[in-house]
Amino acid sequence: MSDAELVQTWIRAWAHARSAAVTDVDGWPLVHLGSVTRENELICHEPGTRVCARLLAHVAGDPRAMLTVLGRDLTAYDQLDLPADVTVTRHDEVLMTTDLVPLAPVPIGSDFATGWDQNDNSVTFWIEQGGRIAAEGSMGMLDAHATFDGIETTPRFRRRGLGRHVMATLSDHALAAGARHGILAASLDGRRLYESIGWIAALQMRSFMGTAPSHEPAEL
């Protein structure tokens, strides 16, 4: 699978899992997330710095809009002269892939409870203690591809194997449903976990987000 095909597969699977519509902006996919963190995300694979600079206009001044760029080496994009109402929000994420295999989950203590929530096109597995979420993660499928999303462990419960337990449980669920390949966007902390269970970093990611325009009083 080429890099471009990988990005297209991730966008399709991720948008499907979130039941998000995808439209087109200047030839690039715009995912309408409507989430807590952002309303939409414009995603580009290797657009080039000149094109990227123009695309920033679509998020400038809008704190609910994000532009994400993917590529093998995004160093040049780090040198962009950003508009005053655009900021870099994610600079260390990577797109990761794997061929799914059964994973042995780390046993968790009897003081933890586990459960599942079913959404429109995805499932969420959670671990809680005393009614509080300790770790959770979601997985959606499209064809033979499973996309993993929102894998999080609450800070006070980290380093107990809960993240690995979540990934193992979701992977087994995906395999049972017919998935063969996994794909996800990983933060730096998440990457360490995923690499330990066989995932491979394929592409770098950078995300730019609009910020609310300042309303400085005009000089008299």
Side-chain angles (χ1 to χ4, degrees), residues 66-146:
M66 179 181 285
L67 167 65
T68 295
V69 176
L70 297 97
R72 291 277 175 175
D73 183 359
L74 301 182
T75 305
Y77 296 86
D78 296 332
Q79 311 305 318
L80 285 173
D81 186 14
L82 300 181
D85 47 5
V86 172
T87 187
V88 177
T89 56
R90 299 174 182 173
H91 65 278
D92 58 6
E93 283 193 333
V94 290
L95 192 67
M96 304 189 74
T97 64
T98 193
D99 291 328
L100 292 170
V101 296
L103 299 171
V106 176
I108 59 175
S110 59
D111 53 332
F112 289 104
T114 64
W116 293 87
D117 292 325
Q118 175 71 52
N119 302 311
D120 290 340
N121 296 320
S122 67
V123 293
T124 297
F125 176 71
W126 47 262
I127 302 172
E128 69 173 23
Q129 184 185 73
R132 295 184 177 183
I133 293 294
E136 64 182 346
S138 300
M139 187 279 298
M141 283 183 51
L142 186 63
D143 302 325
H145 301 280

Side-chain angles (χ1 to χ4, degrees), residues 155-216:
R156 63 175 292 203
F157 292 104
R158 289 176 182 168
R159 305 188 188 286
R160 301 192 194 183
L162 299 186
R164 182 185 176 98
H165 190 96
V166 169
M167 286 298 295
T169 304
L170 290 175
S171 294
D172 285 347
H173 186 88
L175 283 165
R180 293 296 173 263
H181 310 288
I183 188 168
L184 57 76
S187 65
L188 182 60
D189 286 340
R191 179 176 178 176
R192 297 187 182 99
L193 165 64
Y194 307 135
E195 287 181 334
S196 74
I197 56 176
W199 287 69
I200 298 172
L203 296 171
Q204 298 177 355
M205 304 175 72
R206 297 287 188 277
S207 292
F208 307 89
M209 198 140 193
T211 59
S214 61
H215 297 286
E216 298 179 356

Side-chain angles (χ1 to χ4, degrees), residues 27-40:
W28 302 100
L30 180 71
V31 183
H32 298 266
L33 295 166
S35 69
V36 173
T37 58
R38 58 205 183 279
E39 185 64 30
N40 54 68

